[in-house]
Amino acid sequence: MNSNEMVTIDRDHNLHPYTSPTTPPACVPIVGAEGVRLTMADGRELIDGMASWWSAIHGYNHPALNHALLQQVSKVSHVMFGGITHPQAVTLSQKLVDITPHKLTKVFFSDSGSVAVEVALKMAIQYWSALGQGSKNRLLTIKNGYHGDTFGAMSVCDPKTGMHHLFSDMVVQQYFAEAPQCRNDAEWDSSDISSLEGLLSKNKEKIAAVILEPIVQGAGGMRFYAPEYLRQVRQLCDAFDVLLILDEIATGFGRTGKLFACEHADVVPDIMCLGKAITGGYLSFAATMTSQKICDGIGKDGGVFMHGPTFMGNPLACSVANASIDLLLGYELERMIADIESGLCEGLAPCKYLDTVKDVRVFGAIGVVEMKNQVDLAAVQPEFVKRGVWVRPFGRLVYVMPPFIISRCDLDFLTKQIVEVVSSL
Ligand SMILES: Cc1ncc(COP(=O)(O)O)c(C=O)c1O
């Protein structure tokens, strides 16, 4: 099949994410990937600025990840997790328990980030129900959040700026505090917490948990907020007897320079969601972690946790996740991410002086250029491809989170293309 045929059949039959089902723009045909480069069907290469939406942290076609997958295929590719376990799941849960904050000793595997969030919400609601407090069945979150596309996850995404406003009448109505305004690098302003504090104190009898993305609000605006905010949220949750769920699906596994973003605030959640980079971007897989206390609550009087995906604990995914975590633990992570951070800061700095740009911000291996106006994706995407980079703007945001293994030379090339394209808008 040649490149044109592929694009035509794709356009005729495949529906793509957040894209018109009737007049979709042509997709870029990718036939290979190696390191930080994607290979197009016509042989051109693109330096990947997106790491396949935060996931491909080690780059593509990594020998250690390939090996993990191949050696597992001939043992057992999949087996149900109900009543059965296997070495890769056991090894992975032990690793996750070892590298996440100390209280999190229980792991529930699932198949995607959104499902990991659904599982977290159910854990929190089931916990309170088992303790005889069934009225604690709502969630409190902050505006500008994003937690996935399934109905429970949608209910805690930003109701206005989120991608799901079409469904707002169908999702459970949750509590939304104002998003924190204090940036991660700015001085803490104690008034920032008052909106969340007010909602929590007024509605604590109805709230099962607060759910947040720690420090980095991703798809809901690519905003970075003060670690002190997260510390205060933890204290308030304790004071008002409400659980804290941290969604580390985008930030987990090193993206911000720590293994998990909650480490910037030294905060331990009651429930933590992991996904995306858990398999180094190889397979769809996720985990929801929690503590003995939450499990004791749910298990009270013989209670069972009410969730069980068919592909739970998939051995291929567990195997590649084990190899990915081993690679990650072998990196000098803080230095590696600090190098990317300084490359992004220097490379994107010229954007700050453009009239069309509202803000330029960098945190860890995440670089964001926020424009004053909506970016015309249909015009800008082909321009990036023509220049040999894969950058996919969203709304007013042109942003990158490249694989951790990107060289300084490739990073400079990537940021130079962003500066030039943004300058032309
Ligand atoms: C913070 C956060 N939570 C949840 C999700 C949903 O994950 P998935 O797309 O794997 O369902 C995402 C995806 O972008 C995310 O960034």
Side-chain angles (χ1 to χ4, degrees), residues 54 112-115 117 146-148 213 247 249-250 276:
W54 313 80
S112 74
S114 300
V115 176
V117 169
Y146 178 75
H147 297 282
E213 296 154 277
D247 178 349
I249 288 163
K276 291 192 185 277

Side-chain angles (χ1 to χ4, degrees), residues 338-352:
D339 286 348
I340 298 176
E341 186 176 66
S342 73
L344 287 170
C345 283
E346 280 172 43
L348 297 177
C351 294
K352 287 182 192 161

Side-chain angles (χ1 to χ4, degrees), residues 14 31 36 42 55 62 71 162 187 195 204 217-218 225 249 252 290 301 319 346 348 362-363 403 410 417:
N14 283 338
V31 295
V36 296
D42 62 8
S55 64
H62 195 291
Q71 59 87 35
E187 207 178 315
S195 168
K204 55 184 181 299
Q217 292 191 285
Y225 66 84
I249 288 163
T290 192
D301 303 328
S319 174
E346 280 172 43
L348 297 177
V362 173
F363 181 45
D410 285 342
Q417 306 318 308

Side-chain angles (χ1 to χ4, degrees), residues 17-18 50 53 144 160-163 165 218-222 356-359 361 368-381 384 391-399 421-422 425:
Y18 298 102
M50 308 303 290
W53 276 335
N144 286 108
K160 289 210 179 74
T161 63
M163 302 180 235
H165 45 273
M222 302 298 290
T356 49
V357 169
K358 185 171 174 217
D359 187 34
R361 48 189 182 268
V368 183
V369 180
E370 182 175 344
M371 308 298 294
K372 288 181 181 154
N373 296 314
Q374 196 88 355
V375 177
D376 180 358
L377 185 63
V380 162
Q381 186 84 89
F384 278 123
V391 178
R392 187 159 172 84
F394 170 69
R396 290 186 290 112
L397 304 168
V398 182
Y399 63 101
V421 170
V422 164
L425 295 177

